[in-house]
Amino acid sequence: MIIVMQIGATREQIDQVADAIRSKGVEPLIMPGQDRVAIGIPASLDNDQRTDLTAVLGVIEGVSKITHTSHPYKLASREFHRADTSVQVKNVKIGGGSFVVMGGPCSVESYEQFSSAAKIVKKSGATILRGGAFKPRTSPYSFQGLAEEGLKILKAVGDETGLVTISEVMSGDMVSLVSDYVDILQIGARSMQNFPLLIEAGKSGKPVFLKRGPAAQIDDFLLAAEYVLNQGNSQVILCERGIIPLDRTYTRNTLDLSAVPVLKEHSHLPVIVDPSHGTGVAKYVTPMAKAALVVGADGIMVEMHPDPKSALSDGSQALTPNQFEKMMAELKFLGNAIGVEF
Ligand code: PEP
Ligand code: MN
């Protein structure tokens, strides 16, 4: 429910509305607008509570309109927050008009490998450095990441280059460890509905990069974001990374680019596209990265490895340094043409 106050409604009238909502056991969300205040109820009320509250609010002076929200998520919705949210991480702003590029290898493998990837990321004008230290692998026999050693390398290289860093955290009890080393916590596609993890990430107060689960509907995705927001952490970045495909012959997943305008319509959160996991094939990454820019994404996350053939994970989708630099040049050219800033 959202209660829209009249233009010029007094502080007392707003307080009366807020108190009436609190009497139902929920905390109201006061949303000052340009010329009037709206008050949101970020919780689901049952029918009786709603009818009751509507009756009480209807007679408070200063109330202009009571509307019922159409989505199960509240804090993530545009109804509750009209303006685009941007997440500021050090000197990088994610969302709010410009286009950010996150680049780096799937996994941190060694200082040499990671530092050499980071130099290319920086040189080509990308601003965020990615690299997994804890890897969610389908097989327990595959490379699982360097764990804390990987985080140390990530932090050292981040400090050396001045790039903002992002890395995945897979469980709630690891949030504090990963938070000590990285600027942005990544929650992977497989963990999108790991609710204790979402809650811990929310509590950490760190920016959270949430990937869409391969079988998640848009509402599931935004409700997962709602878990983080509901902990008082407003720094949430959404990532479309491909959903289960009809045909795996040619691509690993189906990159759902239509999710970008849909998410932008129904949510105020920044949306990033990951064409690497979205296609699983290096040669399709640049075309889909360009498509992401055109469709209105706030940025991309792209895997790049100094030597993809020797990569310990996701080598087949990793761009070479040359391909990464070429992609960046093409994106900048395209960005210029359509008026998107880098
Ligand atoms: C990754 O970013 O390396 C990763 C594991 O991605 P996803 O969670 O989208 O599969
Ligand atoms: Mn990967």
Side-chain angles (χ1 to χ4, degrees):
M1 255 166 116
I2 296 180
I3 296 95
V4 182
M5 302 301 289
Q6 291 168 357
I7 296 173
T10 64
R11 186 72 243 173
E12 288 71 37
Q13 290 166 339
I14 295 167
D15 287 346
Q16 262 184 294
V17 171
D19 288 344
I21 296 167
R22 278 194 200 98
S23 75
K24 298 286 165 217
V26 274
E27 194 49 33
L29 185 76
I30 315 274
M31 304 180 283
Q34 268 207 330
D35 49 8
R36 55 174 94 215
V37 170
I39 301 159
I41 305 180
S44 297
L45 302 175
D46 63 33
N47 272 346
D48 285 352
Q49 282 178 311
R50 202 176 312 133
T51 316
D52 244 36
L53 195 55
T54 308
V56 174
L57 295 173
V59 296
I60 297 179
E61 278 190 53
V63 170
S64 162
K65 197 166 63 172
I66 301 172
T67 58
H68 296 282
T69 49
S70 42
H71 297 303
Y73 45 89
K74 312 286 175 199
L75 303 173
S77 81
R78 269 225 195 263
E79 290 172 317
F80 271 65
H81 194 289
R82 296 223 64 80
D84 284 339
T85 284
S86 60
V87 177
Q88 185 78 38
V89 193
K90 294 183 169 162
N91 56 340
V92 178
K93 190 168 109 180
I94 304 166
S98 52
F99 192 80
V100 292
V101 179
M102 312 181 172
C106 180
S107 303
V108 179
E109 298 170 5
S110 66
Y111 176 83
E112 290 67 33
Q113 170 252 15
F114 197 63
S115 150
S116 124
K119 284 181 187 136
I120 307 294
V121 168
K122 175 137 189 174
K123 178 168 157 238
S124 62
T127 49
I128 303 179
L129 179 61
R130 66 148 286 146
F134 294 96
K135 296 304 304 176
R137 304 306 301 278
T138 302
S139 163
Y141 306 116
S142 301
F143 175 61
Q144 303 286 308
L146 295 181
E148 189 167 1
E149 185 50 35
L151 293 176
K152 287 186 177 153
I153 295 172
L154 184 97
K155 173 142 178 53
V157 173
D159 289 346
E160 284 158 22
T161 53
L163 293 164
V164 164
T165 57
I166 175 167
S167 197
E168 177 162 357
V169 54
M170 292 202 290
S171 63
D173 57 358
M174 298 300 261
V175 164
S176 106
L177 174 80
V178 179
S179 297
D180 285 344
Y181 291 99
V182 307
D183 298 315
I184 306 172
L185 297 175
Q186 174 170 329
I187 296 188
R190 293 160 190 79
S191 301
M192 190 203 83
Q193 284 186 317
N194 178 341
F195 301 116
L197 169 60
L198 296 171
I199 292 168
E200 282 310 310
K203 285 186 185 154
S204 75
K206 283 262 179 183
V208 175
F209 182 82
L210 178 64
K211 291 186 129 190
R212 179 182 180 185
Q217 301 190 22
I218 297 289
D219 279 3
D220 302 334
F221 188 21
L222 289 173
L223 281 167
E226 191 85 3
Y227 267 87
V228 180
L229 296 166
N230 197 29
Q231 294 301 319
N233 187 346
S234 59
Q235 305 184 83
V236 179
I237 304 145
L238 304 170
C239 175
E240 163 58 41
R241 48 75 75 198
I243 51 177
I244 294 175
L246 180 63
D247 181 356
R248 272 216 158 107
T249 320
Y250 302 100
T251 53
R252 179 179 181 186
N253 289 298
T254 293
L255 188 61
D256 180 9
L257 283 178
S258 63
V260 177
V262 171
L263 289 167
K264 294 234 130 250
E265 178 185 351
H266 296 288
S267 177
H268 52 91
L269 298 170
V271 180
I272 303 293
V273 167
D274 171 353
S276 303
H277 295 86
T279 62
V281 184
K283 66 182 166 196
Y284 302 142
V285 170
T286 298
M288 295 313 272
K290 291 197 272 191
L293 170 64
V294 173
V295 85
D298 297 293
I300 49 172
M301 170 179 265
V302 168
E303 290 186 347
M304 177 265 291
H305 194 286
D307 177 27
K309 288 185 302 306
S310 70
L312 297 181
S313 61
D314 284 351
S316 59
Q317 68 194 33
L319 299 188
T320 62
N322 277 342
Q323 289 168 336
F324 189 82
E325 290 184 331
K326 186 158 177 287
M327 175 195 73
M328 287 299 289
E330 290 178 21
L331 286 170
K332 281 181 201 161
F333 183 79
L334 192 56
N336 265 338
I338 61 172
V340 176
E341 252 181 71
F342 272 75

